[in-house]
């Protein structure tokens, strides 16, 4: 991969003031945020398994009303038009809340070196190595720090290199309740904390928002091993003087309650925090492992010469007024880097903040939101050649479909199969949340499992792996069985009730905002997508299960999407006035993206209505919603509007209200997306799906695919007339490299995906500047396509 430093590195000459200024590193199991301080360092440490709650908890705990009779009462209220009563009944089916992803610890490191008036601080994060570094001048010479989440050993590594010997003082603290005081155990600093058994989200105010059980709770630990001799004084690790210091940091949590006969958290952390015999070799092995994933895909867009020396935050501000295509490439690579850092095989899925969180509780508990955000976080996994990073989500879906999801479907609704609502956590929380007072507009949405299960089929579309599809079949079947239980029918028509369009509301006849109705458009599109996927999977596996055609028959009777009198796609089956005309969610357009039920070629009327709907909602929105809009415009082939949404998503988020912005932030910016100084996407506050959705949207503007065709540069932004992209993975069984100039393709290279086997196959390629042609792709041999001379 050819490296363009300005497209793969962020740099700063000022220190971090806020958490969203710090630079993230991660390896899917452990993460750290590097503050990059003069005279030392602060690392916010996270462990992907550090959640409140306990494994094996009752998934129905706290639910007041349950069973088919409770559901029938809700449906009866909807049938008679008493939506207020239906919503009150749904509140009685709510559990308290999903559990929270926790901030594990903060590591403070200070050098015993005199400061100078002009420290000349330099901070960088190199995406190609996964190393955050900072350097500065001291009276004893220049000092350089490096931090990485080791991709080979799993440890967090912090390295200090100084021109003259220096001593280092190190302390570890936490917002959690201490279980043990800092101690030296086998020459390593070891600290343990209790993990809460319950942590309420910030909008809830129970008498005890964070609850501990010091008899039956879980434990988290941090172990720090120094490469130089060190002593513990008053809880602080103090090293001897040296020009080189390496600290290997292990984190872990106990698998179950501390009283259970399992390996302790501190011993698990100590097994990771091993002292390297050769730190340079350790660093090299990490870089090699990191680049094996990172180097598979790259985007080159020209950057103005003057941005090469700009700090990244200055570059973001400059791009508000001046074109900088390279900033979009930087954001594209950053999204891939963040997904690699927060989602790896063996770990849980990336949460709303990826793998990083410094608050208790974090924003929205830093949990999983399954009505768009969790799915969006994985949109770039397959297409940007990171299928391994998709695996944690796919395993989470499989596990939930076998455990909590089945229990909740059966006990809450009397339904077959499995269900998941709009919030979940490490333990697979599947019930509606809200504590009995949550608005059903967001708390009630029983199709989270349906949308998630479709990711299993998306994996197959890219890999073509029939053995894996056969292993995934039981999840698809259980998902379909819930759908068959949920859909109501009179043998002529079918409908879903109760139904919501996630987090949105309409106005009833009295002008009251309501979220519950019948057959929201999103329901129809999700259920029809599921039926189509199950039919195609059954055909691929040569199965003839009787429920497959039954699901197709039933979903075909659901109401078709309707175009309103104003020319927009209706969000509900009946015409309704939006309570919030500029709502961030565009759930009724799921058939446009990520699905393909709506396309300009096959359904031009619906495509036009979808475009009108996006325009009516307005271009302004949260970070993740800007990314979704960009991906939708890419599907509609409108590069100019893709560019507009990207420019908004890449603007500075300075002053946007959020945890870092303060109480004086303008209320009009409550849902104004952009980028924080470290390129984190602002909802606000930070949500990782904004970054990852942006990467997916950029990929969609450059290459789109179906099983037998590839569309190249379908929605190229006008500001990107020249560029190249490498390693875009497609559903047609090939990876695609593209070069273009003046908006026209100059070269395309197709390479067969290894999992597709040894047989050659034909692909239709459509691209500006190249005749539409079918090309034969032979495994092991690149197929090169270039414009023909006129």
């Amino acid at each position: 991969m050819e490296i363009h430093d300005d497209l793969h590195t962020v740099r700063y000459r000022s220190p971090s003031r806020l958490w969203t200024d710090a630079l993230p590193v991660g390896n899917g199991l452990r993460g750290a945020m590097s503050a990059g301080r003069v005279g030392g360092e602060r690392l916010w440490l996270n462990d992907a398994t550090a959640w409140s709650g306990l494994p094996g908890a009752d998934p129905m705990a706290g639910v007041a009303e349950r069973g088919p009779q409770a559901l029938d009462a809700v449906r009866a209220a909807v049938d008679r038009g008493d939506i207020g009563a239906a919503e009150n009944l749904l509140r009685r089916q709510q559990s308290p809340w999903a559990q929270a992803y926790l901030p594990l610890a903060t590591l403070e490191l200070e050098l015993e070196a005199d400061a100078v008036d002009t420290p000349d601080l330099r901070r960088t994060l190199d995406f190609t190595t996964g190393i955050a570094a900072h350097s500065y001048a001291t009276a004893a010479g220049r000092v350089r720090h490096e931090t990485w989440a080791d991709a080979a050993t799993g440890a967090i590594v912090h390295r200090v290199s100084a021109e003259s010997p220096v001593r280092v003082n190190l302390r570890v603290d936490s917002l959690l309740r201490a279980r043990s005081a800092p101690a030296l155990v086998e020459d390593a600093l070891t600290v343990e904390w209790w993990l809460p058994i319950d942590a309420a989200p910030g909008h809830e105010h129970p008498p005890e928002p964070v609850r501990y059980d010091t008899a039956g709770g879980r434990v988290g630990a941090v172990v720090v091993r120094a490469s130089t001799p060190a002593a513990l004084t008053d809880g602080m690790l103090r090293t001897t003087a040296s020009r080189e210091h390496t600290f290997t940091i292990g984190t872990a949590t106990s698998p179950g309650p501390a009283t259970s006969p399992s390996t302790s958290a501190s011993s698990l952390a100590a097994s990771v925090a091993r002292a390297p015999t050769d730190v340079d070799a350790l660093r090299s092995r990490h870089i090699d492992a990191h680049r094996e994933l990172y180097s598979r895909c790259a985007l080159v867009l020209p950057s103005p010469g003057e941005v090469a020396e700009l700090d990244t935050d200055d570059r973001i501000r400059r791009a508000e007024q001046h074109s900088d295509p390279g900033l979009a490439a930087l954001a594209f690579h950053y999204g891939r880097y963040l997904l690699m850092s927060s989602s790896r095989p063996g770990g849980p899925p990336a949460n709303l903040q990826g793998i990083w969180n410094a608050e208790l509780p974090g924003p929205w508990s830093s949990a999983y939101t399954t009505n768009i955000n969790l799915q969006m976080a994985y949109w770039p996994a397959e297409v940007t050649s990171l299928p391994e990073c998709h695996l944690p989500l796919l395993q989470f879906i499989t596990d939930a479909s076998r455990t909590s999801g089945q229990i909740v479907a059966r006990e809450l609704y009397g339904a077959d199969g499995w269900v998941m609502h709009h919030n979940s956590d490490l333990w697979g929380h599947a019930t509606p949340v809200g504590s009995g007072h949550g608005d059903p507009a967001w708390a009630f949405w029983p199709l989270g499992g349906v949308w998630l299960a479709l990711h299993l089929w998306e994996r197959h579309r890219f890999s073509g792996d029939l053995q894996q599809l056969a292993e995934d079949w039981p999840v698809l079947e259980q998902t379909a069985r819930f759908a068959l239980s949920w859909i109501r029918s009179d043998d002529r028509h079918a409908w879903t009730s109760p139904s919501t369009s996630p987090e949105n509301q309409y106005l009833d006849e009295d002008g009251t905002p309501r979220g519950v109705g019948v057959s929201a458009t999103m329901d129809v599109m999700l259920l029809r997508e599921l039926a189509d996927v199950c039919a195609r999977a059954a055909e691929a596996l040569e199965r003839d299960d009787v429920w497959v055609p039954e699901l197709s028959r039933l979903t075909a009777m659901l109401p078709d999407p309707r175009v309103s009198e104003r020319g927009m796609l209706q969000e509900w089956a009946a015409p309704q006035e939006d309570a919030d005309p500029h709502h961030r969610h565009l759930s009724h357009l799921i058939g446009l993206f990520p699905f393909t039920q709506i396309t300009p070629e096959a359904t031009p009327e619906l495509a036009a209505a979808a475009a009108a709907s996006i325009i009516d909602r307005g271009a302004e929105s949260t970070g993740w919603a800007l990314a979704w809009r960009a991906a939708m415009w890419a599907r509609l082939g409108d590069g100019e509007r893709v560019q507009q949404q990207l420019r908004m998503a890449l603007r500075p988020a300075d002053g946007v209200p959020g945890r870092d912005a303060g109480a004086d932030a303008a209320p009009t910016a409550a849902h104004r997306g952009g980028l924080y100084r470290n390129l984190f996407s602002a909802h606000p506050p930070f949500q990782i799906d904004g970054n990852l959705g942006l990467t997916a949207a950029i990929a969609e503007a450059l290459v789109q695919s179906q099983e037998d065709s590839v569309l190249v540069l379908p929605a190229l932004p006008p500001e990107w007339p020249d560029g190249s992209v490498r390693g875009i993975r497609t559903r047609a069984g090939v990876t695609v490299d593209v070069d273009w100039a003046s908006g026209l393709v100059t070269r395309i290279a197709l390479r067969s995906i290894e999992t597709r086997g040894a047989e050659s196959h034909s692909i239709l390629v459509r691209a500006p500047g190249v005749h539409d042609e079918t090309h034969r792709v032979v495994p092991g041999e690149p197929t090169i396509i270039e414009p023909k001379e006129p």
Side-chain angles (χ1 to χ4, degrees), residues 94 264 270 280 334 368 437 516 562:
Q94 294 173 358
S264 72
D280 290 323
Y334 192 51
Y368 302 129
H437 54 253
V516 174
R562 294 179 172 90

Side-chain angles (χ1 to χ4, degrees), residues 8 31 51 86 91 114 193 238 252-253 270 280 338 422 460 520 544 579 588-589 670 678 723 737:
H8 298 271
W51 288 70
R91 289 183 176 93
D114 292 336
W193 302 273
R238 303 191 67 195
T253 63
D280 290 323
L338 293 178
H422 105 290
H460 173 72
D544 59 358
H588 56 311
L589 304 187
N678 66 357
D737 302 341

Side-chain angles (χ1 to χ4, degrees), residues 564-587:
S564 71
E565 292 182 356
R566 296 174 56 205
M568 293 180 293
L569 199 68
Q570 287 185 185
E571 190 154 359
W572 285 270
Q576 304 285 3
E577 182 181 353
D578 290 332
D580 177 3
H582 301 124
H583 199 269
R584 61 198 177 278
H585 283 257
L586 286 165
S587 304

